[in-house]
Amino acid sequence: SSNRMITGFYPSARIYKESQSGEKLGRRFKDKDGSMKTTSYTMESEEFYSVSIGFSHIIETRKYNSYMFRRQRVYGGTYPELDSDIYEYFERLRSGKILEDDTIMQQELQEIPGASNQAIQEAPDRNLQYEKRIFGNGVLKNPQLAKASIISADHKCEVNTSHRTFLNRQGKAYMEGHHLIPCTVTNAKEIWERFRKHIDCKENIVSLCPTCHRAIHFGHQDEKRKVLSILISKRLPILKGVGINITEDDLFRFYDIE
């Protein structure tokens, strides 16, 4: 059997012992004979994160029983070394919640204008909305808010303004927008339930050079803590000002930093 590539993951899911009806999830499809049918399911999740090809992980199936890699089959404990390998891989990804569409979003930020003052003021209080992705829901974001944060930072890195990058096509220093409280469905729901505030707001988005942005996603925990500590001192008072009163420990928890 050919090798398998991990192209995405569910950060949390409900696993059912028995097959469930697919009616409520709209899992209808046209069969080969032209009839419409509804598929059942044994797993349900609100979030799916796709992993770009550069960060995918290869499982060499020749080392294991190929039967366990048939479609819709999940096994744990049969091969402890494989479990350990996969858990370690996801641990590297989990804290940053690496999304394939982040690269697309960063490209878009270079081209679009910043949000209006009215949109910025209304952003923390708007209701949570979700967008359908191929495999699940994601938080519907306004990319102009991220661009507004970059503009407010004068296209400089908020970790260290001396950090240099390159000029984008608009002749501005290339910077990336990053939600300090990562903008996942789980985090958005938690902040909404605690404070009735939306985390897709200018106050929660920082302007970062690519190196600092990657350090937050891929760095060693000590490196992440160092970068985040600088941003915490600047941003937590600003977040508190719009009603998101989180602590330093809260933020480290969002990144799984002990």
Side-chain angles (χ1 to χ4, degrees):
S1 178
S2 60
N3 289 338
R4 295 292 187 265
M5 176 185 291
I6 296 176
T7 59
F9 65 97
Y10 300 90
S12 61
R14 174 177 292 177
I15 307 297
Y16 297 95
K17 184 177 181 180
E18 303 293 338
S19 296
Q20 305 294 303
S21 167
E23 293 292 343
K24 70 174 184 177
L25 298 184
R27 294 166 57 86
R28 291 180 60 77
F29 69 99
K30 182 179 289 188
D31 207 349
K32 293 179 180 179
D33 62 4
S35 63
M36 295 301 298
K37 295 182 179 178
T38 302
T39 62
S40 61
Y41 61 93
T42 55
M43 184 183 79
E44 185 177 2
S45 176
E46 292 184 338
E47 298 176 86
F48 174 84
Y49 293 98
S50 60
V51 178
S52 62
I53 190 69
F55 301 105
S56 59
H57 185 69
I58 302 297
I59 299 175
E60 298 180 59
T61 57
R62 62 180 176 79
K63 297 180 180 179
Y64 314 101
N65 182 344
S66 61
Y67 182 79
M68 69 182 287
F69 295 101
R70 293 176 62 188
R71 288 185 178 183
Q72 298 181 347
R73 292 185 181 274
V74 180
Y75 293 89
T78 305
Y79 296 100
E81 69 277 14
L82 175 61
D83 292 346
S84 177
D85 181 47
I86 293 175
Y87 293 153
E88 181 180 345
Y89 167 66
F90 284 125
E91 183 65 27
R92 296 198 303 270
L93 297 183
R94 186 176 58 174
S95 60
K97 303 295 190 296
I98 300 168
L99 306 181
E100 185 171 1
D101 63 3
D102 181 65
T103 299
I104 298 173
M105 185 194 78
Q106 300 302 338
Q107 291 174 343
E108 182 182 4
L109 290 185
Q110 309 308 311
E111 311 288 338
I112 63 176
S116 66
N117 288 334
Q118 181 178 351
I120 291 171
Q121 292 172 2
E122 294 175 351
D125 297 310
R126 74 191 196 278
N127 290 327
L128 282 178
Q129 290 183 290
Y130 305 99
E131 59 181 348
K132 287 288 186 181
R133 295 174 181 166
I134 296 175
F135 296 101
N137 292 331
V139 178
L140 181 62
K141 295 178 284 191
N142 178 359
Q144 289 185 315
L145 294 169
K147 183 59 175 284
S149 183
I150 293 174
I151 293 172
S152 290
D154 195 24
H155 292 265
K156 294 178 181 178
C157 179
E158 293 188 49
V159 173
N160 188 328
T161 57
S162 69
H163 289 175
R164 295 287 180 261
T165 60
F166 55 90
L167 298 181
N168 62 19
R169 286 186 292 185
Q170 286 68 43
K172 300 288 187 179
Y174 176 86
M175 291 289 159
E176 298 181 341
H178 173 72
H179 287 78
L180 190 57
I181 302 171
C183 199
T184 66
V185 171
T186 301
N187 292 348
K189 285 183 175 180
E190 177 181 333
I191 298 301
W192 181 259
E193 290 171 0
R194 289 173 62 184
F195 307 111
R196 280 297 183 267
K197 297 295 178 181
H198 200 311
I199 58 176
D200 183 41
C201 60
K202 180 173 174 285
E203 292 78 8
N204 186 46
I205 305 173
V206 293
S207 172
L208 298 178
C209 69
T211 299
C212 288
H213 197 186
R214 295 302 176 266
I216 286 178
H217 284 299
F218 307 121
H220 185 275
Q221 284 212 353
D222 291 342
E223 189 69 24
K224 291 182 182 183
R225 182 181 289 273
K226 181 173 70 175
V227 172
L228 287 170
S229 293
I230 295 172
L231 297 173
I232 283 170
S233 65
K234 297 178 179 180
R235 285 295 178 139
L236 289 198
I238 295 174
L239 284 169
K240 184 177 180 180
V242 295
I244 303 176
N245 190 18
I246 64 169
T247 66
E248 180 177 304
D249 288 341
D250 283 330
L251 193 62
F252 286 146
R253 173 171 56 84
F254 291 133
Y255 290 87
D256 295 317
I257 296 175
E258 299 178 352

